[in-house]
Amino acid sequence: MEKYLLNENFMDFEIGELPYDKSHSATGEYHYVINEGYAGKWVDPVCNYTYNGSGASWIVTEDEGKHFMEQMRVKTDKPHITHPMLMSGDINWFNYVVTSKIRMFKTSGIAGIGFCVHNSMNLLALVFADGEVRLEHRHKMKKEIFASKPYTYNCDDFYELKAECNENVVKCFVNNEFVFEISNDRVAEGGKVCLTATDPTQFENITVTADQKTIDAIKEKVKDKEEYLTELRDQYPNMKLYKKIDLKNFGAGRQLRFGHLCGGDKWYGVIAQSQKRVHRDAYGHISCLTAFDLDGNILWQIGEPSTKYDEGQISADMPLQVYDIDGDGIDEVITSRNFEILILDGRTGKVKKKAKMPFSDDDDSTLIGVPNDIYAFDRINADGIRIANFTGKERPTDILVKDRYCRIYALNSDLELMWKFKSETNTGHFPYAFDINNDGHDELLCGYNLLDHKGNIIWKLPITEDHTDEIISGKFMAGSNEGHIACVSGSEGFYIADYNGNIVMKDDIGHAQRVSTGNYCPKKEGFELCVTNYWGHQGIVYFYDSKGNPLWELENELNGNVITPVNWKGDGSDLILLNPDIKRGGLINGNGDMCVAFPDDGHPEMCAEAIDLTGDARDEIVVWDYHTMYIYTQDDGYMEDAYKPVKYPHYNASNYRGEYSYPSKDYLV
């Protein structure tokens, strides 16, 4: 006798919109954003900036006492082909029958049911499309039609779609009439279910059934996994609360920097509140800058703090770094406000040096990423700052400043302009400085252009579209003494290039957003790579070996996965920080298993970062929102002689930097 795994008629939903991001912003790229409202057993994994101002993707309606779930988007190919969907169920489900009635309000679209869903970009889908009923395999940006048959359908009637999965065979039906079956190992893998439609479509209900033997096997599978994870977690230190900080009225999103503002080993935080100017996030402005110690005491503050946090939700970097630029042993704060570049005394916030930002003296029509093709100000509005070594000194003393997406300016430590570069392609968010040829001077990967230390183009990657979000480099590839570059460039996907600008691997995963490398699988050679995506089907974690060969995919149905490498055990291995959710976030290993969970202690969940704050070389985990900051350390106490990896320096913090963790500096280039 068949029993229900899912029996959804949507009657427990109120009429109206399902929870969604009303601003359709990029905030979830590196913040854990929870949409308020009731979603039942369903998850909407799709976000798109083209949805801005157009309301919810999914609404619940009623007719003759029945509730219906309706998809309300019209198909889009920006930033790439996207299939809106609602997911439910468990990755451990298998050998089930899924059924739903659908009515396509626009028959030129694609609509139906998904099953054997590993993630929202890896599933089987039984759909109506182009006058056919089809069985599709969707994986990443590729689609394969496993079977199809002509079928007449209209916009007025409901049609019941059914897929019966049994081992590696799926039989497909429309209105209980058999249409086709296929044999494929992908069926045997099982997975969740979903509703999917590119255009307005109404779903009456959805059921998933299985026999008792299968249900018992699923329960046993889940139980075995839970027991395995319990044993695995016993091998790792738990999180222990180290500090709890009241951010009072100066809290902000992921615009946080750490440094030694008074010299010595004591850490301080610097947090920037921001305002939007002119057009959304195009011209972000630091409105308040607060320096504080790890007990929450304010060291100094510039500007006026505000608790209008929604106005400060800027999905971009703020121009802010903390670095000992003059070599006196005390970190300065390097920032930009009111169209000036400033070097502030870390102890007091007083100005040590300042200069006017350069004039915007280019033809506005030639600038990339400028709203309405008009640059809003006479002087450049700083979008981000990076510390670099273009002058070839023993330590970096140069300052790179960029506008939103087109121009970069190289300044020396006296804030004098050394050179400017105006790009013909998008500069990306955070250009990457590294000494690629070991001549003592940094080169700069700026978008798709490699520049020498004087701002001249050395080579160009064979890419022109979209922009680069994050970059890392180093000798991460097993069996090679040569360095490589790993990039995520939006709809151009994830790719690896050599130091001559040749692309050696590329994976079209949709909008590629974040990248990191570390010793995630200690028994494997080289350093594994972890990548996430965002726009379109957001938040899927992709994992690769050191050469870019895919190993696994994971979707925790959450945004804000920062995928930072974490030196948690101090034994030479790295874990991967997702986000602060207590059930599906935490630290995972190179198999995708959560090894360290966040405690259920009411901690903030919006932002997360990993940094060594206690000095034993192992990382602490910092989580915060607009009000509170929690810092976690290991519960096994201070560890002597812990493994100390080389990681991205704290003085080049960014929401758009890739992350790396290497045993020594020898791996960096």
Side-chain angles (χ1 to χ4, degrees):
M1 180 179 177
E2 298 291 299
K3 294 188 176 181
Y4 288 111
L5 290 170
L6 177 68
N7 184 13
E8 179 65 83
N9 60 12
F10 310 110
M11 293 302 295
D12 60 339
F13 287 81
E14 293 184 359
I15 301 301
E17 299 175 334
L18 255 67
Y20 71 105
D21 176 9
K22 292 178 172 56
S23 62
H24 298 290
S25 75
T27 305
E29 290 174 346
Y30 43 83
H31 297 83
Y32 176 30
V33 180
I34 302 172
N35 299 321
E36 295 182 359
Y38 178 71
K41 301 175 182 178
W42 298 90
V43 173
D44 179 359
V46 175
C47 65
N48 200 315
Y49 59 79
T50 65
Y51 295 167
N52 189 40
S54 61
S57 297
W58 296 87
I59 64 173
V60 176
T61 60
E62 180 273 339
D63 186 46
E64 297 183 350
K66 293 181 179 179
H67 281 192
F68 302 89
M69 184 65 71
E70 295 184 9
Q71 199 289 115
M72 284 288 102
R73 298 290 175 205
V74 176
K75 62 175 169 284
T76 179
D77 58 358
K78 295 179 181 179
H80 45 70
I81 296 172
T82 302
H83 291 275
M85 61 179 62
L86 280 183
M87 296 190 305
S88 189
D90 193 300
I91 194 71
N92 296 294
W93 286 1
F94 67 99
N95 283 4
Y96 54 71
V97 179
V98 54
T99 303
S100 182
K101 292 182 179 180
I102 77 168
R103 177 185 174 188
M104 299 176 70
F105 291 146
K106 188 173 180 63
T107 56
S108 61
I110 302 172
I113 55 175
F115 54 98
C116 299
V117 179
H118 286 191
N119 58 63
S120 60
M121 294 183 74
N122 188 356
L123 68 152
L124 299 176
L126 179 61
V127 297
F128 291 123
D130 298 329
E132 296 181 330
V133 57
R134 293 176 179 171
L135 179 60
E136 299 178 345
H137 178 216
R138 302 174 185 169
H139 190 207
K140 300 175 182 175
M141 293 309 296
K142 295 181 180 179
K143 182 187 298 184
E144 182 180 0
I145 299 176
F146 281 174
S148 64
K149 184 177 181 179
Y151 201 93
T152 301
Y153 50 90
N154 59 55
C155 66
D156 299 316
D157 296 320
F158 278 93
Y159 299 86
E160 184 181 77
L161 296 175
K162 180 168 68 173
E164 295 182 354
C165 302
N166 184 22
E167 301 303 331
N168 69 336
V169 176
V170 57
K171 296 181 179 180
C172 300
F173 302 80
V174 178
N175 292 337
N176 278 323
E177 293 184 2
F178 174 81
V179 287
F180 43 66
E181 73 174 66
I182 64 117
S183 298
N184 190 283
D185 290 341
R186 185 65 183 75
V187 180
E189 295 173 6
K192 305 173 189 177
V193 296
C194 74
L195 311 175
T196 177
T198 60
D199 293 83
T201 300
Q202 192 174 67
F203 296 84
E204 182 177 338
N205 63 348
I206 180 169
T207 64
V208 182
T209 59
D211 60 32
Q212 187 62 54
K213 181 180 178 181
T214 298
I215 292 174
D216 291 342
I218 292 171
K219 290 179 179 179
E220 191 66 26
K221 189 176 179 182
V222 172
K223 180 183 176 183
D224 289 346
K225 181 69 173 181
E226 290 175 347
E227 290 176 352
Y228 164 75
L229 289 176
T230 298
E231 294 177 2
L232 179 66
R233 290 168 187 168
D234 287 341
Q235 302 172 26
Y236 292 84
N238 292 318
M239 291 190 190
K240 176 184 177 182
L241 187 62
Y242 171 63
K243 296 283 185 179
K244 180 179 179 181
I245 302 172
D246 180 2
L247 297 179
K248 305 176 180 69
N249 61 352
F250 62 85
R254 213 166 180 270
Q255 305 292 349
L256 173 68
R257 309 290 187 260
F258 287 101
H260 304 292
L261 297 182
C262 295
D265 296 328
K266 184 176 180 180
W267 287 97
Y268 292 82
V270 180
I271 199 163
Q273 289 187 338
S274 54
Q275 290 179 287
K276 303 175 190 289
R277 278 178 163 172
V278 182
H279 187 276
R280 299 177 67 185
D281 295 350
Y283 305 101
H285 163 69
I286 292 179
S287 55
C288 183
L289 206 59
T290 305
F292 60 98
D293 67 19
L294 299 189
D295 292 315
N297 302 304
I298 295 177
L299 185 63
W300 51 262
Q301 189 173 74
I302 296 173
E304 183 176 331
S306 172
T307 55
K308 296 181 179 179
Y309 301 118
D310 288 343
E311 297 179 9
Q313 283 189 345
I314 291 180
S315 54
D317 273 340
M318 287 292 99
L320 173 65
Q321 298 296 356
V322 177
Y323 177 61
D324 182 12
I325 195 75
D326 57 13
D328 67 352
I330 299 172
D331 281 348
E332 283 74 44
V333 175
I334 302 160
T335 187
S336 179
R337 296 185 79 232
N338 198 27
F339 303 102
E340 292 181 321
I341 183 79
L342 307 168
I343 298 178
L344 308 179
D345 189 312
R347 296 163 294 190
T348 65
K350 300 297 183 183
V351 176
K352 298 179 74 171
K353 292 181 182 179
K354 70 177 181 177
K356 296 290 186 182
M357 287 294 294
F359 281 109
S360 178
D361 53 7
D362 298 287
D363 181 347
D364 288 357
S365 66
T366 66
L367 301 179
I368 296 170
V370 175
N372 305 314
D373 296 326
I374 300 174
Y375 198 77
F377 309 113
D378 280 355
R379 290 192 183 275
I380 296 298
N381 184 85
D383 178 72
I385 288 176
R386 184 185 186 99
I387 308 303
N389 188 6
F390 299 124
T391 49
K393 297 180 181 178
E394 290 186 5
R395 58 190 297 274
T397 60
D398 304 316
I399 301 169
L400 184 75
V401 185
K402 65 183 289 290
D403 69 3
R404 181 64 164 163
Y405 285 132
C406 188
R407 295 166 291 188
I408 59 175
Y409 301 84
L411 312 176
N412 62 23
S413 57
D414 291 321
L415 305 182
E416 298 168 332
L417 180 65
M418 296 188 295
W419 51 264
K420 166 192 171 184
F421 177 73
K422 178 187 171 192
S423 182
E424 295 180 354
T425 55
N426 195 302
T427 58
H429 287 281
F430 196 57
Y432 185 79
F434 61 136
D435 185 7
I436 196 171
N437 57 9
N438 290 304
D439 67 350
H441 300 78
D442 277 348
E443 284 70 46
L444 187 76
L445 186 56
C446 173
Y448 307 127
N449 302 301
L450 183 71
L451 310 181
D452 66 17
H453 65 280
K454 296 182 179 180
N456 302 306
I457 295 177
I458 299 174
W459 49 250
K460 296 183 178 183
L461 289 168
I463 300 173
T464 59
E465 301 302 317
D466 215 321
H467 64 260
T468 297
D469 283 301
E470 295 188 353
I471 307 166
I472 54 175
S473 72
K475 298 173 182 176
F476 51 76
M477 193 174 289
S480 175
N481 290 321
E482 302 295 326
H484 287 81
I485 302 162
C487 300
V488 283
S489 297
S491 57
E492 288 290 340
F494 164 57
Y495 55 91
I496 298 173
D498 64 24
Y499 281 178
N500 294 313
N502 302 303
I503 294 178
V504 299
M505 168 271 174
K506 195 171 189 291
D507 196 7
D508 194 358
I509 61 170
H511 184 98
Q513 185 64 45
R514 304 193 70 99
V515 61
S516 71
T517 188
N519 193 18
Y520 298 135
C521 300
K523 294 182 180 180
K524 295 181 181 291
E525 293 185 9
F527 302 89
E528 294 71 41
L529 296 146
C530 190
V531 175
T532 61
N533 61 6
Y534 189 66
W535 291 119
H537 300 258
Q538 64 171 339
I540 303 172
V541 178
Y542 294 95
F543 196 77
Y544 305 83
D545 70 14
S546 67
K547 296 182 180 179
N549 298 307
L551 296 179
W552 51 259
E553 304 167 9
L554 177 153
E555 186 172 32
N556 61 356
E557 299 179 346
L558 306 174
N559 53 36
N561 294 315
V562 294
I563 62 168
T564 301
V566 179
N567 177 26
W568 189 252
K569 289 186 74 174
D571 63 352
S573 66
D574 290 302
L575 299 178
I576 302 167
L577 172 61
L578 296 180
N579 64 38
D581 186 82
I582 61 174
K583 293 183 178 180
R584 294 173 290 173
L587 309 181
I588 63 172
N589 64 11
N591 294 319
D593 299 321
M594 189 205 292
C595 299
V596 183
F598 279 91
D600 187 3
D601 58 359
H603 63 267
E605 295 182 316
M606 186 173 72
C607 305
E609 184 62 277
I611 183 173
D612 173 23
L613 295 174
T614 64
D616 74 347
R618 296 188 297 177
D619 288 323
E620 276 62 56
I621 306 298
V622 185
V623 297
W624 72 98
D625 58 16
Y626 300 122
H627 311 288
T628 313
M629 177 179 293
Y630 282 40
I631 302 175
Y632 294 101
T633 191
Q634 296 80 5
D635 70 351
D636 59 356
Y638 190 92
M639 183 176 184
E640 300 288 349
D641 301 320
Y643 166 72
K644 186 175 183 179
V646 173
K647 304 185 74 174
Y648 218 121
H650 74 272
Y651 58 76
N652 271 327
S654 171
N655 290 319
Y656 297 94
R657 73 177 196 185
E659 301 285 355
Y660 55 75
S661 180
Y662 294 125
S664 72
K665 292 182 178 179
D666 295 337
Y667 291 87
L668 285 175
V669 178

